[in-house]
Amino acid sequence: MRVALDVSILHAPRTGIGEYALQLGRALQKSPELELALFDGLRWRDDFPAAPQPGYGKLSQAVKAILPNAYRVRRQLMQRRFDSGAKRLRPQVYHQPSLWPLRFDGPTVMTLHDLTHVHYPETQPSDRLRAIEHYLPTALQQASRILVDSQFIADEVTLHYGVPRSKLQIAPLGVAPRFHPRSEEQLRIRLAAHQLQMHSYYLCLGTLEPRKNLDLAIAAYLTLPDRIRHRMPLLIIGARGWRQEQLTKIPHRAQAHGQIRLLGYEDENCVAELLAGAHALLFPSRYEGFGLPVLEAMASGTPVIASDCGAIPEVAEKAALYMDPDDIDGCRSQMLALLNDDSLQATLREQGQQRARQFSWERCAQITVDTYRTAGHF
């Protein structure tokens, strides 16, 4: 079965959907049933883009500032390149793993990761929101099958868009091999480079945008006693997102003393190592269709303090501590509870690893292959 897989999102800084496209694509390449043809938005290729393009985000912003209809113009260009290659390669199924597909004469599979644009439209740039509202309803209607990451999203898609449940297929995400428990010695170089001690810092991981609710994590952290903040800094790792300037309101004193550290976008190995060495992952997101960092933290043997929203409880079940995303005191209480209870730490580390073992990219890929087969009636 020859499948066209769109990997254009891999040109952008790697976030959750980019990780999905890459890890799923690699797992699909191992399937003896498939022959993958990769489309990167400009050309067809046999391999995945090796790394995000430098300045990709800045270039996109510059183009959108000059060209009001940048999304539509870019799609028109992509469509021409896609059509040219599709005529030559003749794929039997086309899969778009990041929102709305291009036009294709054969069976189309798309992945819908969340409905952020519906519930939190204010967290989306206006041009992107207009594009989603323009393309997505038609894409959902025309797609042969729709993959979703969780039961939570399947229910939302049916409720909001009226998509028949029979058209949806839940394919839970997996966790990459780089996320696993590590010893202090294994992390010695990385921790020393950041002047950190093993299990003696909190970590926030995610794109710097309002939906991730990082302001609450910062506010809760700042309520901790100074003696705790002095020895337990808060690290924030993530690419710049829309309205990320909100995070510049961090008190100067906290940054000057190294208590709160904005590391920006870090490469995947740095993220995996710092996640494995953290005391806890703070994940107060207001809305998630899956919550991949939660799974990655659990696989790394790192306790998770997360909001009780969206699909997060479905993914973590009893292997995390939960909080209301609007409750600063609740977040602080969970941080203190974990800090003061060695037994709770050990339990969450063990339960998290057990839960994470139930997810894999191989399983996600097999469900996806089955969905291709169903979509194409093979």
Side-chain angles (χ1 to χ4, degrees):
M1 186 182 356
R2 184 172 297 160
V3 175
L5 180 67
D6 191 315
V7 294
S8 56
I9 194 169
L10 297 183
H11 287 309
R14 196 70 42 79
T15 57
I17 299 179
E19 178 73 0
Y20 166 78
L22 179 63
Q23 297 300 336
L24 174 63
R26 286 174 173 172
L28 289 173
Q29 282 186 323
K30 299 176 183 177
S31 172
E33 303 177 55
L34 296 186
E35 179 184 346
L36 280 188
L38 307 177
F39 178 66
D40 72 0
L42 295 175
R43 65 186 180 92
W44 292 83
R45 54 194 299 158
D46 298 322
D47 57 346
F48 295 95
Q53 292 181 348
Y56 178 90
K58 293 181 180 179
L59 176 63
S60 296
Q61 293 299 326
V63 170
K64 286 186 285 187
I66 298 172
L67 196 62
N69 295 320
Y71 275 106
R72 296 191 184 189
V73 173
R74 184 175 67 178
R75 280 184 66 83
Q76 291 172 358
L77 175 61
M78 292 175 64
Q79 187 70 61
R80 287 197 291 269
R81 298 292 181 89
F82 180 86
D83 291 342
S84 176
K87 290 179 181 178
R88 174 173 51 87
L89 297 170
R90 301 177 67 84
Q92 296 166 283
V93 177
Y94 163 48
H95 182 189
Q96 171 52 261
S98 56
L99 213 51
W100 51 80
L102 297 166
R103 294 188 306 275
F104 179 62
D105 290 337
T108 295
V109 173
M110 63 177 288
T111 304
L112 184 56
H113 297 279
D114 59 58
L115 298 188
T116 301
H117 62 283
V118 173
H119 300 290
Y120 296 96
E122 71 279 5
T123 68
Q124 299 285 320
S126 58
D127 53 352
R128 175 175 171 80
L129 183 61
R130 287 193 299 269
I132 293 174
E133 292 173 341
H134 177 78
Y135 292 111
L136 185 56
T138 301
L140 292 171
Q141 182 180 7
Q142 295 180 349
S144 304
R145 289 291 185 275
I146 302 166
L147 292 164
V148 292
D149 302 342
S150 61
Q151 181 65 57
F152 171 78
I153 291 301
D155 294 341
E156 286 213 323
V157 174
T158 296
L159 179 64
H160 185 78
Y161 287 105
V163 176
R165 184 62 183 83
S166 59
K167 196 174 183 177
L168 302 172
Q169 176 60 58
I170 300 170
L173 309 189
V175 58
R178 67 181 182 275
F179 294 102
H180 59 84
R182 302 170 193 249
S183 68
E184 185 171 2
E185 177 58 28
Q186 290 173 316
L187 296 175
R188 178 176 55 83
I189 296 176
R190 181 73 67 186
L191 294 176
H194 290 275
Q195 297 181 310
L196 297 169
Q197 299 295 319
M198 186 74 169
H199 297 161
S200 294
Y201 58 92
Y202 297 99
L203 181 63
C204 284
L205 182 60
T207 303
L208 307 187
E209 61 181 42
R211 175 171 63 95
K212 297 300 182 180
N213 201 26
L214 298 179
D215 283 345
L216 180 130
I218 292 170
Y221 174 79
L222 289 173
T223 66
L224 296 176
D226 188 68
R227 58 181 175 79
I228 294 178
R229 286 186 280 118
H230 181 72
R231 64 183 178 87
M232 299 278 290
L234 171 63
L235 277 58
I236 300 175
I237 298 178
R240 291 187 175 188
W242 184 65
R243 292 179 62 190
Q244 62 86 32
E245 69 276 1
Q246 291 180 344
L247 294 180
T248 61
K249 299 176 182 178
I250 299 170
H252 175 73
R253 180 176 177 273
Q255 291 194 72
H257 291 189
Q259 294 177 352
I260 298 178
R261 309 180 191 179
L262 298 175
L263 300 189
Y265 181 81
E266 296 284 357
D267 68 72
E268 60 183 23
N269 291 323
C270 176
V271 171
E273 291 182 2
L274 289 178
L275 188 55
H279 171 70
L281 172 73
L282 301 183
F283 199 73
S285 179
R286 295 185 176 279
Y287 179 83
E288 294 290 330
F290 188 84
L292 192 54
V294 170
L295 179 60
E296 292 167 345
M298 294 192 301
S300 303
T302 298
V304 174
I305 300 174
S307 61
D308 54 1
C309 296
I312 296 174
E314 180 181 337
V315 173
E317 291 190 341
K318 298 180 180 179
L321 297 179
Y322 294 103
M323 46 161 281
D324 184 304
D326 291 311
D327 187 357
I328 295 174
D329 289 339
C331 182
R332 176 182 185 272
S333 295
Q334 295 291 44
M335 294 170 73
L336 290 174
L338 183 64
L339 185 64
N340 297 324
D341 192 334
D342 292 343
S343 176
L344 179 60
Q345 294 174 29
T347 297
L348 289 176
R349 293 181 190 281
E350 178 59 30
Q351 289 181 344
Q353 292 176 69
Q354 291 178 1
R355 178 61 178 158
R357 283 193 283 269
Q358 299 178 36
F359 297 84
S360 73
W361 287 115
E362 289 72 24
R363 177 180 175 231
C364 183
Q366 186 55 59
I367 295 173
T368 302
V369 171
D370 293 342
T371 302
Y372 294 159
R373 191 183 301 110
T374 301
H377 303 288
F378 299 123

